[in-house]
């Protein structure tokens, strides 16, 4: 599983970086920079929570 | 073989020069297969800048009632090759458009150019002479830089909004009004026509790419070069340098600076030769300001990142210490937008910092250029 961002939908709320700091950091303008590798199995549940919490529905979890 | 004729060709002139498409050889479903196989055998790649194999694109857009879009917008200010082609040899593009429409089974073909483009009279005159199986509609696209990006064209033709749509779904899955859509640059279509008119073997041995050459060359304009030709050969095709050249911008405004003139160019729409007496940082700062202003303002990294790096370059010119900030800012601009616009700006900026070390040192030492003369 991989975390991705819909760049057009994203409004820089930043919840993803709060909820999933292991895979998401914010750039200087508050937009997420996601780790390129797969989400470690132990973090998948957290990743799902972060995806559900995104107010813009711009965070996604994709099978890679 | 040369692609561009010296003067505008009407239909009869085009047929005399380039021949007639052998439609009978490509009849029916088997014929579509043979057509795409010929394109694959000729190793044709997209001439819009991305260089993607055209046969792969044709195969994936093959679907009932799909749409073919010819992209003749040419938003890059350094590129004029598509305009030259549509002005001098519009029928070659239209032959290619009909062949592509046949290959994917399209019922609809759209030729896109920028609103008010000077190529319109030539295009309309050519269309009036033809009686094509797939009707061609001409659409005038807003004159903005990213409006002619592939997904932006599809978005505009569907909704009237010429902003990029993002990476998925691809136009070949869901394009214009939800239909599978093939978007090809007009030169790609002209090259496709040549593959069929000449046959893939003859095409492979004779093929030439169109490249716009500007800057300090004797005959600025559109030249034809063998794929992979070194920059020295590209500059020579435009008459050679009129004065010492410091570096060449390869690939237009979102391209790469290089001072290695043995650098082989392939799939490049435009090169610009910067004279040694001009400041590379100053030229780059102007281009970055242009690119920042042309953002579609949809994606954060582009909307905020491009003005930031343009400001960093302006600061470099004043002798400010922004190189460390640029080194931090440039890498995360790549791969994070809905289109490749921020990637191109980051590539341009990073190559400028590498190539213009002398200009950089002069500016940071005294806040002013080692060069006194201004070159636009």
């Amino acid at each position: 599983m991989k975390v991705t961002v819909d760049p057009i939908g994203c409004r820089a709320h930043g919840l993803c970086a709060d909820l999933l700091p292991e895979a998401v950091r914010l750039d200087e303008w508050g937009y997420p920079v996601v780790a390129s590798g797969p989400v470690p199995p132990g973090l998948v549940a957290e990743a799902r929570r972060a995806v559900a919490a995104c107010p813009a529905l711009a965070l996604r979890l994709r099978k890679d | 073989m040369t692609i561009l004729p010296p003067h505008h060709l009407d239909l009869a002139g085009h047929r005399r020069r380039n021949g007639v498409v052998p439609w009978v050889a490509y009849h029916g479903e088997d014929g579509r297969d043979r057509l795409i196989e010929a394109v694959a055998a000729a190793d044709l790649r997209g001439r819009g800048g991305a260089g993607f194999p055209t046969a792969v694109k044709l195969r994936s857009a093959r679907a009932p009632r799909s749409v073919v879009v010819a992209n003749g917008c040419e938003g890059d200010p350094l590129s004029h090759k598509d305009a030259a082609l549509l002005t001098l040899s519009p029928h070659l593009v239209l032959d290619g458009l009909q062949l592509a429409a046949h290959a994917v089974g399209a019922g609809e073909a759209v030729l896109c150019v920028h609103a008010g483009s000077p190529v319109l009279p030539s295009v309309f005159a050519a269309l009036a002479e033809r009686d094509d199986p797939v009707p061609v509609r001409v659409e005038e696209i807003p004159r903005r830089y990213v409006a002619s990006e592939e997904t932006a064209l599809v978005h505009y033709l569907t909704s009237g909004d010429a902003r990029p749509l993002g990476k998925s779904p691809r136009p070949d899955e869901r394009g214009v009004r939800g239909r599978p859509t093939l978007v090809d640059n007009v030169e790609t279509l002209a090259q496709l026509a040549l593959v069929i008119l000449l046959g893939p073997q003859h095409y492979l041995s004779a093929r030439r790419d169109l490249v716009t050459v500007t800057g300090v060359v004797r005959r600025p304009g559109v030249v034809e070069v063998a794929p992979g030709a070194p920059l020295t050969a590209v500059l020579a095709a435009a008459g050679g340098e009129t004065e010492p050249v410091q570096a060449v911008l390869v690939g237009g405004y979102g391209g790469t600076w290089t001072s290695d003139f043995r650098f082989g160019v392939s799939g490049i729409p435009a090169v610009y030769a910067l004279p040694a007496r001009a400041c590379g940082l100053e030229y780059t700062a102007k281009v970055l300001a242009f690119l920042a202003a042309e953002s579609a303002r949809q994606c954060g990294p582009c909307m905020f990142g491009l003005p930031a790096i343009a400001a960093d370059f302006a600061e470099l010119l004043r002798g400010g210490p922004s190189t460390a900030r640029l080194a931090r800012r440039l890498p995360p601009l790549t791969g994070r937008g809905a289109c490749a616009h921020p990637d191109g700006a980051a590539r341009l900026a990073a190559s400028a910092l590498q190539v213009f070390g002398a200009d950089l040192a002069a500016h940071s030492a005294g806040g002013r250029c080692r060069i006194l003369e201004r070159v636009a």
Side-chain angles (χ1 to χ4, degrees):
Chain A
M1 302 290 263
K2 233 175 172 169
V3 177
T4 64
V5 177
D6 167 11
I8 298 174
C10 179
R11 288 289 175 274
H13 293 284
L15 267 82
C16 47
D18 281 345
L19 297 174
L20 200 63
E22 297 86 351
V24 183
R25 66 178 178 86
L26 300 181
D27 69 15
E28 61 184 294
W29 302 286
Y31 288 85
V33 180
V34 299
S36 55
V39 179
L43 270 181
V44 170
E46 293 295 318
R48 282 191 211 290
R49 258 191 287 279
V51 165
C54 174
L57 302 178
L59 197 68
R60 311 272 160 79
L61 198 58
R62 286 228 174 91
K63 288 197 178 75
D64 48 1
Chain B
M1 180 190 83
T2 58
I3 300 167
L4 292 177
H7 308 287
H8 168 88
L9 289 182
D10 64 4
L11 186 61
H14 163 69
R15 297 271 184 253
R16 270 196 305 277
R17 178 184 163 100
N18 296 305
V20 178
V21 175
W23 284 107
V24 65
Y26 299 101
H27 188 69
E29 280 303 305
D30 291 355
R32 298 182 203 279
D33 290 338
R34 282 195 296 278
L35 213 172
I36 297 175
E37 277 158 27
V39 173
D43 191 30
L44 181 61
R45 283 160 192 274
R47 297 287 306 144
F52 192 76
T54 304
V56 174
K57 246 174 138 170
L58 289 168
R59 279 194 197 101
S60 55
R62 204 169 156 182
R65 288 175 300 141
S66 54
V67 179
V68 175
V69 176
N71 187 356
C73 290
E74 204 165 40
D76 196 299
L78 290 179
S79 181
H80 309 292
K81 69 178 182 71
D82 294 339
L85 193 53
L86 287 169
T87 305
L88 298 173
S89 198
H91 288 288
L92 193 59
V93 175
L94 293 171
D95 277 357
L97 182 53
Q98 290 299 316
L99 282 162
H102 177 63
V104 302
E108 192 180 334
V110 188
L111 173 59
C112 295
V113 297
H114 277 309
S117 165
V119 307
L120 281 163
S122 159
V123 164
F124 283 122
L127 283 170
E129 289 182 286
R130 299 172 68 96
D131 184 21
D132 285 320
V134 180
V136 177
R137 185 172 91 243
V138 176
E139 287 278 352
E140 296 187 48
I141 309 301
R143 299 192 61 84
R144 299 194 50 237
Y145 189 78
V146 294
S148 56
E149 189 270 342
E150 175 173 84
T151 63
L153 276 187
V154 164
H155 200 185
Y156 180 79
L157 295 174
T158 301
S159 70
D161 179 1
R163 292 183 299 173
L165 275 175
K167 291 177 179 92
S168 75
R170 300 287 317 143
D172 54 33
E173 295 168 41
R174 206 159 72 228
V176 176
R177 300 188 317 279
R179 295 189 183 285
T181 300
L182 175 80
V183 183
D184 267 330
N185 168 262
V186 292
E187 187 197 340
T188 311
L189 293 169
Q191 299 276 7
L192 194 163
L194 288 171
V195 169
I196 300 306
L197 290 165
L198 300 171
Q201 292 316 313
H202 182 188
Y203 174 82
L204 266 172
S205 63
R207 73 177 174 189
R208 293 288 180 270
D209 289 343
L210 298 181
V211 181
T212 312
V213 186
T214 50
V216 285
V217 289
R218 238 163 235 113
R219 293 188 303 275
V222 181
V223 301
E224 305 191 15
V225 296
L231 276 176
T232 45
V234 177
L235 297 181
E241 300 93 313
T242 53
E243 60 178 292
V245 170
Q246 177 176 193
V248 177
L249 177 55
V250 178
Y253 272 16
T256 311
W257 286 108
T258 182
S259 51
D260 177 5
F261 298 169
R262 294 161 306 173
F263 189 95
V265 294
S266 222
I268 296 297
V271 304
Y272 170 81
L274 182 79
R277 67 190 158 89
C279 174
L281 290 181
E282 194 177 289
Y283 188 90
T284 305
K286 274 184 197 161
V287 175
L288 286 174
F290 171 88
L291 293 176
E294 291 291 316
S295 166
R297 306 190 64 75
Q298 296 192 107
C299 309
C302 185
M303 191 168 14
F304 298 104
L306 266 46
I309 63 169
D312 285 342
F313 262 74
E315 193 184 313
L316 283 182
L317 293 180
R318 295 191 302 269
S322 48
T323 41
R325 203 162 58 227
L326 277 163
R328 196 178 68 239
R329 277 178 172 168
L330 290 177
L333 286 186
T334 298
R336 285 172 65 222
C339 72
H341 185 57
D343 307 40
R347 188 162 50 227
L348 172 79
S351 69
L353 293 178
Q354 272 186 355
V355 169
F356 301 119
D359 291 332
L360 204 54
H363 276 281
S364 64
R368 51 186 294 221
C369 203
R370 72 188 166 86
I371 288 141
L372 297 172
E373 192 179 346
R374 288 283 176 277
V375 178

